[in-house]
Amino acid sequence: QVQLVESGGGLVQPGGSLRLSCVVSGNAFRVFNMAWHRQAPGKQRELVASINFSGRTDYVDSVQGRFTISRDNAKNTVYLQMNSLKSDDTGVYSCNARNIWTQAQYWGQGTQVTVSS
């Protein structure tokens, strides 16, 4: 069973930065499309950023230019660098992996990000 473990969340002031990490178990990381989602209180979960198996990235408009998603296949890890954080970025951030061959997908448990002064 594939497991995803996120880390790096916390409390940060507006304008600050955080880097989230998601480590994926197993040896199939190279064939996973990876993504970060977030869910704010009282709102539906939304896709924030994605990176496919070949490294192509995509972002929701609200984080474009502030967030950067990257992956390190040697470490089975995907990152989300978040800069210029705003209160609207507050939420639980979850990592998602989808196997490009089987379409099986997996979720991490989530990590809380709170942007507040």
Side-chain angles (χ1 to χ4, degrees):
Q1 180 70 13
V2 176
Q3 293 186 326
L4 282 65
V5 180
E6 300 106 331
S7 61
L11 173 64
V12 63
Q13 292 186 342
S17 298
L18 283 174
R19 188 175 82 154
L20 306 183
S21 300
C22 173
V23 180
V24 182
S25 67
N27 57 7
F29 184 74
R30 291 179 182 272
V31 298
F32 284 140
N33 290 337
M34 301 298 300
W36 286 97
H37 297 246
R38 70 183 175 195
Q39 186 165 22
K43 295 185 178 180
Q44 288 188 331
R45 185 169 62 192
E46 67 170 342
L47 173 63
V48 175
S50 62
I51 183 166
N52 74 356
F53 69 99
S54 67
R56 187 183 72 186
T57 60
D58 197 14
Y59 301 90
V60 67
D61 286 347
S62 61
V63 308
Q64 185 75 41
R66 299 188 297 121
F67 290 11
T68 302
I69 188 171
S70 61
R71 64 190 295 160
D72 185 336
N73 289 344
K75 296 182 178 180
N76 282 16
T77 303
V78 62
Y79 304 97
L80 186 66
Q81 178 67 44
M82 305 185 294
N83 298 329
S84 302
L85 283 161
K86 307 174 182 179
S87 58
D88 286 347
D89 296 319
T90 293
V92 176
Y93 284 70
S94 299
C95 180
N96 171 267
R98 184 186 294 272
N99 189 303
I100 64 172
W101 301 115
T102 68
Q103 298 304 305
Q105 66 172 330
Y106 308 92
W107 290 91
Q109 81 287 353
T111 185
Q112 177 70 44
V113 172
T114 303
V115 184
S116 174
S117 56

